Structure formats: structure tokens, C-alpha cells
């Protein structure tokens, strides 16, 4: 009996070790599951936060873009008094006319003509460059101004070619057309720039391409310009030209230009 005692002891130790392992196993597995769950929850939370942050940034950007677009639209045709001196105001200037951004840039002439007449002339490589407060044409560069109320009675009739100040030589009295879609210009004085008269510009489009229709005087003489020379050439002949002429006719019949 005494010889078997060590065997019992060894057996008891083995059983005890197995019990410890068995009893500890669920605890370890539970800890692992808990840790994995916490990690997944943390990742999900981070992902949700990232999505919310991205959504907020996108919303803020949209609001900023919308405000900028509204500001740009509201600025069209408004007075810009920056840089206007007392001397300039003395001769009837109420500030610079601000050209809508969509109309600014260099425009390439496609063709011109007279409404109601068969004769159409193609004008190659003639350009008009319009900036925020000025317009550059083959005839010269002119500053776009807004005249004060009562300008014609108080200022224009008192300024002649003989006494007009140098400042007003290239000024054009400019007014908004069709709520920011165009503008019309007049000589600053009745005698100024002999041979030059009313010139109006109005935006339109053909086949998704923007076009600028200009009208000279009151007889219906017009020119059509595009944003590139290649487009100007494409729409200066054939069916495309006929399509533009129809748009010009409709524009003159339905809008103030």
C-alpha cells in the first residue's frame, strides 16, 4: 500500500492541473471575445464619427459655395465705387459697372449681319475681351461706368468734344440687361466718339455652348461670338449657323437688348 502512494499523488496533481486549465479556458475565451467586441465597437464608432465629420464638411462647403454663388449673382451690375475719385464723380460717374462673371473673358466672333436681311458677313478672328469693369474691342478699350441720376440733364449736355475732361474720353454709360444676363452701353456724352452709339450684349447658348450676342444701334445689326475660335468657326456656316441665326432672332424678339 505504501508503494502506491506516489502514484496517487501524481494522479491527483494531474487532475488538479487539468481542472485548472478547464476552469480557466472559458474565462480566457470570454476575455478574447470581449476584447474583439470592444475593438469592433471602437472601429464602428470611429467610422461613424468620420462619416459624420465628412458629411458636416460637405454641408459646410455646399453652404459656402451657395453663398459665394449668391454673392456673385448679386454683385452683377452693382456700383463699385473703389477707385472712383471726387474728380470722376464731378463728371457724372456713380461708380464702375460690374460685369457678370459669366460674360467676362475673351469672346471670338463667329459672324455678323442684320436681322431681316439675307446678307450675312463672316468676321474672322475678331475678338472682344470683357473684364469686370472694362471692354476691349477692335475700336479700343473702354471703361464701363454707371452714371448718376439725372446725368443727361446735369452732366452730359454740358460736356462737349471741346471741353470734355481726359478722364471721360473712354467712358461708357453702362446699364444692366435682363437681370445680369447682359449689359448695354451708351457714349458718355452726345458728341463723344462720333460714329459710335448704343452697343448691347446678351448671353445665350446653342447646343449647350454659351454665346454672346451683341447689338449695335437700333437697326438690328448684330454679331455672335463664342468662347473659342474653333467653336466660332464651327458655327459660322451651314445648319449650325442657321440655328444660331434663329436664336438671335428669338432673342431680339423676346428680350431687351
Amino acid at each position: 500500500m505504501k508503494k502506491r502512494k506516489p502514484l496517487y499523488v501524481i494522479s491527483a496533481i494531474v487532475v488538479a492541473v487539468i481542472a485548472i486549465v478547464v476552469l480557466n479556458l472559458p474565462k480566457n475565451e470570454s476575455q478574447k471575445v470581449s476584447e474583439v467586441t470592444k475593438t469592433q465597437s471602437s472601429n464602428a464608432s470611429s467610422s461613424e464619427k468620420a462619416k459624420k465629420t465628412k458629411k458636416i464638411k460637405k454641408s459646410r462647403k455646399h453652404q459656402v459655395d451657395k453663398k459665394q454663388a449668391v454673392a456673385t449673382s448679386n454683385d452683377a451690375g452693382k456700383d463699385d465705387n473703389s477707385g472712383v475719385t471726387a474728380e470722376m464723380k464731378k463728371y457724372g460717374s456713380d461708380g464702375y459697372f460690374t460685369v457678370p462673371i459669366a460674360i467676362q473673358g475673351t469672346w471670338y466672333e463667329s459672324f455678323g449681319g442684320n436681322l431681316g436681311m439675307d446678307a450675312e458677313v463672316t468676321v474672322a478672328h475678331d475678338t472682344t475681351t470683357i473684364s469686370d469693369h472694362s471692354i476691349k474691342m477692335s475700336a479700343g478699350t473702354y471703361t464701363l461706368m454707371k452714371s448718376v441720376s439725372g446725368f443727361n440733364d446735369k452732366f452730359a449736355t454740358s460736356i462737349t468734344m471741346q471741353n470734355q475732361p481726359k478722364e471721360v474720353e473712354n467712358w461708357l454709360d453702362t446699364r444692366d440687361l435682363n437681370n445680369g444676363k447682359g449689359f448695354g452701353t451708351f457714349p458718355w456724352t452726345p458728341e463723344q466718339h462720333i460714329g459710335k452709339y448704343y452697343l448691347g450684349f446678351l448671353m445665350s447658348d446653342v447646343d449647350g455652348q454659351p454665346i454672346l450676342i451683341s447689338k449695335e444701334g437700333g437697326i438690328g445689326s448684330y454679331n455672335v461670338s463664342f468662347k473659342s475660335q474653333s467653336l466660332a468657326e464651327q458655327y459660322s456656316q451651314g445648319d449650325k449657323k442657321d440655328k444660331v441665326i434663329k436664336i438671335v432672332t428669338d432673342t431680339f424678339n423676346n428680350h431687351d437688348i
Side-chain angles (χ1 to χ4, degrees):
M1 294 294 292
K2 289 183 180 180
K3 291 182 180 180
R4 293 182 182 179
K5 187 175 181 181
L7 183 59
Y8 293 147
V9 172
I10 293 171
S11 298
I13 292 172
V14 171
V15 171
V17 170
I18 292 173
I20 291 172
V21 172
V22 172
L23 289 173
N24 285 338
L25 182 59
K27 183 179 180 180
N28 291 338
E29 289 300 323
S30 176
Q31 286 178 343
K32 289 180 182 180
V33 171
S34 177
E35 289 173 359
V36 169
T37 302
K38 287 180 180 179
T39 301
Q40 291 176 341
S41 176
S42 177
N43 291 340
S45 177
S46 298
S47 177
E48 286 298 320
K49 287 180 180 179
K51 288 180 180 179
K52 288 181 180 179
T53 301
K54 186 176 181 181
K55 189 174 182 180
I56 291 172
K57 287 182 177 179
K58 186 175 181 181
S59 176
R60 287 176 179 171
K61 183 179 184 302
H62 175 72
Q63 291 175 0
V64 170
D65 290 343
K66 187 176 181 180
K67 287 180 180 179
Q68 289 176 341
V70 171
T72 298
S73 175
N74 291 340
D75 284 342
K78 281 192 173 182
D79 293 339
D80 181 353
N81 293 307
S82 59
V84 178
T85 65
E87 188 71 10
M88 294 166 76
K89 283 186 172 292
K90 176 182 176 181
Y91 297 109
S93 169
D94 197 29
Y96 296 105
F97 177 88
T98 301
V99 177
I101 291 178
I103 307 178
Q104 294 182 33
T106 298
W107 294 86
Y108 298 82
E109 196 163 303
S110 178
F111 63 89
N114 292 283
L115 292 179
M117 300 178 66
D118 295 332
E120 298 289 341
V121 294
T122 299
V123 183
H125 307 300
D126 198 6
T127 61
T128 298
T129 300
I130 303 173
S131 64
D132 51 355
H133 306 310
S134 67
I135 180 169
K136 181 180 179 181
M137 303 175 287
S138 56
T141 301
Y142 302 91
T143 302
L144 306 177
M145 290 287 194
K146 297 192 79 172
S147 59
V148 298
S149 177
F151 170 72
N152 289 328
D153 296 332
K154 187 177 181 181
F155 298 97
T157 54
S158 64
I159 301 175
T160 66
M161 291 294 290
Q162 287 72 36
N163 70 2
Q164 72 174 7
K166 185 176 179 62
E167 287 91 339
V168 306
E169 286 182 1
N170 293 314
W171 287 5
L172 292 177
D173 187 7
T174 311
R175 305 169 191 181
D176 175 72
L177 291 180
N178 296 292
N179 297 317
K181 292 184 178 180
F183 61 93
T185 67
F186 301 83
W188 197 254
T189 66
E191 295 184 21
Q192 185 182 2
H193 304 304
I194 295 176
K196 297 190 184 304
Y197 35 84
Y198 173 79
L199 185 62
F201 296 89
L202 195 65
M203 286 278 293
S204 188
D205 69 274
V206 57
D207 298 332
Q209 297 296 333
I211 61 175
L212 186 66
I213 302 170
S214 63
K215 178 183 179 182
E216 298 180 24
I219 59 176
S221 176
Y222 71 91
N223 290 294
V224 179
S225 300
F226 287 79
K227 277 291 190 178
S228 71
Q229 184 63 47
S230 60
L231 284 172
E233 292 172 355
Q234 289 177 37
Y235 284 89
S236 65
Q237 54 190 340
D239 293 340
K240 288 189 174 182
K241 181 179 177 180
D242 293 337
K243 184 183 293 187
V244 175
I245 292 175
K246 184 179 184 306
I247 292 173
V248 172
T249 304
D250 292 342
T251 299
F252 278 25
N253 290 336
N254 300 309
H255 297 280
D256 179 22
I257 179 173

